Amino acid sequence: MTTDPGTKTRTASAETPPLPGVWTIGLQRGGVEIKQFFRQRDQVIFTFAFPIVFLALFASIFRDNLEGTGITASQLYVPTMLASGLMSVSFQSLGISIAVERDEKVLRRLRGTPMPPAAYFLGKIWLVLATGVAEAVILLAVGSTLFDVDLPATAGKWLTFVWIFVLGLTGCALLGIAVSSLPTSGKSASSVVILPFLLLQFMSGVYIPTKELPDWMLSVGSLFPLKWMCQGLRGVFLPESAASLEHAGAWEYDRIALVLGAWVIGGLVLCLLTFRWKSKQDG
Amino acid sequence: MTAHAVEVRGLHKRYGDVTAVDGLDLGIRYGEVFGLLGPNGAGKSTTVEILQGHRSRDDGEVAVLGADPATADRAWHARVGIVWQDESAPAELTVRETVTHFARYYPKPRDPDAVIALVGLEAKAKARIKSLSGGQRRRLDVALGVIGGPELLLLDEPTTGFDPGARRQFWELIRMLAAEGTTIVLTTHYLEEAEALADRLAVIAAGKVVAEGNPAQLRAEYGTYATVEWQEADGAPRSERTRTPTRTVAELTGRFDGEIPGLRITRPTLEDVYLRLTGQEVAP
Ligand SMILES: Nc1ncnc2c1ncn2[C@@H]1O[C@H](COP(=O)(O)OP(=O)(O)OP(=O)(O)O)[C@@H](O)[C@H]1O
Ligand SMILES: [Mg+2]
């Protein structure tokens, strides 16, 4: 082609409409994230089956009534499995998926468009909310039909459930976003994320009641949201008499709100300070 | 606004002790189709990524559409389209879902279905991306690069893996965008592609521009010799590289009685010029 490029001019750029807003694109991203998640059939099945399988496992190992409380061990496991299920759809899922997306240049491609960075995180939040709600519905359905867990009868208890759900899920999601910057590659992401999650589950009384944990272990667990999510959800789904099984002998809702709230704010700061859009080799 | 869509002065980029870009200068005019050629590792992708703002630079001045890409805002990103050399797309989404979704990021996108048709993916519009062939994925990359209706399009080896038909279709797309006034920067290893599309070319070797000009200029400037081939009386093939092929032929006419067996005169192709410029020439 030998046309003189100097004669060509662009006329279109004169009246450019404004850039689409953060919330609009965030919603779009949420739709795309949720579609992608639910289309990976094996991932969906394993994500939601995991806590149920563990629930069934523990319920068949520990069958006795817990002395003086009138509840069964399997009832005790429903709220803790729900708490760890919520942490898995937020912390574990984001920690791994963002690391993989960074490694597979998905983040680079998005950063090459005018998508506002906040919209990416909004999309992740929609995904976590959708999977979190699905996780809760499935576990509570199984818990109330097979394991004699009574769904709360009062609006007050449901309200408690909602704020623990929202604060806990948000804190864990932010922690997951922060942890996604640790793995150096997408391949190593699942090992880097799953080991600390597994340890935390033991230290937070998911599998072993908090009363039976060594003090130092519980102290470490108490630094993170999971222990408080477990405790709060036990308070919602177990009868009052079960409070005697708690380390403090009470549900401690004020402390739960304090720790979970602190994680939401601290987690946000941590993400803002540590989040990497580029992979290590992008320099 | 500068007179150039892309203005690069003294660009340097090192990775550890590897110098990828070593004092590169470029001036690409508005509305121009500009080809970047160079052997593997010459620094083309690094340069394109710096122009896009993804990669940091160690030294030098860069202005793309009048702004420094390293600190450019959303509005700037809406005006620049890019196709990277190594892309990946969301495997579980369909072609149409992906193109439509990306269109939403832009203030004035092209029509998603029209773009899908332009890259020849109509038949695959409803297919999941994971089911696409390599060349079809590459076409999707091109679609996502142009969906925002960019003023400047950066393409890093966009036609790798294209079959000849897809390549021609891509050429038509580039010509259409160029006719609309889009500035296009294209790296390629296909010399015929560079010759067919580019108004001007720069040949890069070891992070520096070693030659610049339109394809005909480059041939005239660096390919001043011709090769004369013929057969001796005993059938042995001979060839001679010369700036004066007419004189060689005149001499041969004197030596042979009548026809010169196997006579052939070849002028260097752009590829020959390129190989010579980048020091990859195979001795004749
Ligand atoms: N992330 C990186 N880390 C270290 N070195 C790198 C990195 N990216 C590129 N390089 C080096 O920089 C040099 C230029 O690489 P670049 O990718 O820019 O070449 P190119 O011209 O695009 O090559 P090709 O034709 O193979 O795509 C090469 O020597 C390469 O090894
Ligand atoms: Mg390259």
Side-chain angles (χ1 to χ4, degrees):
Chain A
M1 290 206 313
T2 52
T3 51
D4 175 17
T7 59
K8 286 182 240 161
T9 45
R10 193 165 172 98
T11 50
S13 56
E15 4 66 69
T16 310
L19 289 159
V22 175
W23 292 100
T24 321
I25 301 186
L27 205 60
Q28 296 290 340
R29 287 238 29 106
V32 162
E33 295 274 7
I34 291 168
K35 247 184 222 166
Q36 283 179 269
F37 178 87
F38 283 99
R39 282 181 188 175
Q40 277 166 287
R41 189 106 8 105
D42 48 353
Q43 180 182 326
V44 174
I45 292 172
F46 277 92
T47 302
F48 294 120
F50 192 87
I52 293 171
V53 169
F54 269 73
L55 184 57
L57 201 68
F58 281 104
S60 27
I61 297 172
F62 306 102
R63 315 186 67 121
D64 312 335
N65 275 20
L66 296 164
E67 43 189 293
T69 58
I71 63 160
T72 63
S74 50
Q75 275 176 307
L76 192 62
Y77 277 115
V78 171
T80 61
M81 284 302 153
L82 175 54
S84 87
L86 292 180
M87 184 150 174
S88 99
V89 299
S90 51
F91 172 81
Q92 178 178 321
S93 141
L94 290 193
I96 297 172
S97 72
I98 296 177
V100 170
E101 288 185 342
R102 182 183 294 114
D103 205 36
E104 290 182 350
K105 319 276 186 193
V106 177
L107 297 190
R108 182 187 69 179
R109 170 172 256 162
L110 291 174
R111 289 292 272 162
T113 73
M115 179 203 77
Y120 175 76
F121 297 108
L122 281 176
K124 291 291 181 198
I125 288 173
W126 287 119
L127 170 67
V128 167
L129 273 179
T131 47
V133 167
E135 183 81 88
V137 168
I138 293 173
L139 257 175
L140 291 183
V142 170
S144 60
T145 50
L146 302 180
F147 297 101
D148 303 323
V149 168
D150 294 324
L151 295 181
T154 65
K157 282 217 157 181
W158 276 115
L159 192 69
T160 310
F161 173 74
V162 168
W163 71 252
I164 293 173
F165 177 89
V166 170
L167 288 183
L169 205 60
T170 312
C172 290
L174 291 168
L175 203 55
I177 294 173
V179 90
S180 78
S181 293
L182 288 180
T184 46
S185 78
K187 288 203 183 73
S188 63
S190 46
S191 340
V192 173
V193 173
I194 287 176
L195 180 67
F197 180 36
L198 204 61
L199 290 178
L200 195 61
Q201 284 175 306
F202 277 97
M203 296 184 178
S204 304
V206 171
Y207 303 125
I208 298 160
T210 43
K211 265 196 160 173
E212 288 164 38
L213 291 175
D215 279 346
W216 68 267
M217 211 181 255
L218 193 63
S219 318
V220 176
S222 302
L223 296 175
F224 295 93
L226 185 58
K227 186 242 175 197
W228 304 97
M229 291 160 71
C230 290
Q231 190 169 323
L233 293 180
R234 280 194 296 263
V236 171
F237 294 103
L238 300 182
E240 277 315 308
S241 57
S244 64
L245 290 170
E246 295 300 325
H247 203 74
W251 301 123
E252 303 182 286
Y253 285 123
D254 45 354
R255 288 192 84 178
I256 295 173
L258 203 69
V259 177
L260 294 185
W263 264 108
V264 170
I265 294 164
L268 191 64
V269 172
L270 199 63
C271 286
L272 291 175
L273 290 180
T274 61
F275 192 78
R276 296 186 287 124
W277 288 97
K278 298 179 184 184
S279 63
K280 290 254 152 78
Q281 72 264 29
D282 285 341
Chain B
M1 212 198 283
T2 46
H4 284 143
V6 176
E7 184 86 61
V8 176
R9 291 281 159 259
L11 183 63
H12 284 266
K13 175 70 186 178
R14 276 175 300 278
Y15 299 105
D17 46 9
V18 178
T19 302
V21 180
D22 190 15
L24 189 101
D25 298 318
L26 282 179
I28 300 172
R29 300 180 198 120
Y30 280 98
E32 186 167 52
V33 179
F34 193 90
L36 274 183
L37 301 176
N40 293 142
K44 302 181 298 297
S45 296
T46 303
T47 304
V48 169
E49 294 196 350
I50 291 172
L51 295 183
Q52 194 277 331
H54 179 72
R55 229 171 252 284
S56 62
R57 57 184 190 265
D58 295 322
D59 199 11
E61 282 165 46
V62 179
V64 177
L65 298 181
D68 183 344
T71 55
D73 59 4
R74 282 181 67 199
W76 181 89
H77 279 285
R79 297 163 64 202
V80 179
I82 178 151
V83 175
W84 275 276
Q85 185 172 0
D86 52 334
E87 289 272 27
S88 72
E92 297 297 333
L93 298 181
T94 70
V95 169
R96 191 157 191 287
E97 283 169 342
T98 307
V99 177
T100 310
H101 175 70
F102 271 74
R104 307 231 197 229
Y105 297 159
Y106 294 88
K108 252 178 71 178
R110 289 179 170 273
D111 173 48
D113 288 316
V115 168
I116 292 171
L118 280 175
V119 299
L121 280 178
E122 304 102 312
K124 290 283 175 186
K126 291 201 177 92
R128 298 264 176 103
I129 290 171
K130 63 180 175 188
S131 73
L132 298 185
S133 75
Q136 289 166 343
R137 273 174 209 229
R138 201 65 188 139
R139 296 193 216 180
L140 176 67
D141 294 335
V142 173
L144 296 182
V146 305
I147 185 67
E151 287 168 51
L152 170 69
L153 184 57
L154 303 170
L155 302 159
D156 197 359
E157 296 187 28
T159 59
T160 309
F162 278 22
D163 62 46
R167 188 173 303 258
R168 291 300 159 123
Q169 195 174 10
F170 170 79
W171 291 6
E172 284 316 306
L173 171 64
I174 294 302
R175 288 182 181 132
M176 185 201 90
L177 294 171
E180 288 176 3
T182 313
T183 309
I184 294 164
V185 181
L186 167 95
T187 80
T188 181
H189 288 296
Y190 301 101
L191 277 296
E192 83 278 13
E193 185 163 285
E195 193 155 23
L197 293 177
D199 300 313
R200 280 195 312 137
L201 296 173
V203 178
I204 299 183
K208 287 193 182 73
V209 174
V210 293
E212 197 177 336
N214 72 41
Q217 270 173 350
L218 288 184
R219 261 207 311 263
E221 193 170 333
Y222 297 94
T224 46
Y225 58 90
T227 307
V228 181
E229 290 167 283
W230 72 94
Q231 270 172 18
E232 286 298 344
D234 59 2
R238 284 280 311 274
S239 75
E240 193 175 302
R241 205 157 106 171
T242 171
R243 283 173 194 274
T244 52
T246 313
R247 190 191 299 163
T248 309
V249 174
E251 278 166 24
L252 289 171
T253 318
R255 275 212 280 135
F256 288 94
D257 197 15
E259 282 298 309
I260 306 165
L263 177 67
R264 204 160 75 124
I265 305 171
T266 44
R267 294 276 174 186
T269 61
L270 188 59
E271 184 153 314
D272 298 322
V273 171
Y274 167 80
L275 290 173
R276 202 172 137 209
L277 282 169
T278 55
Q280 297 173 300
E281 193 178 30
V282 183

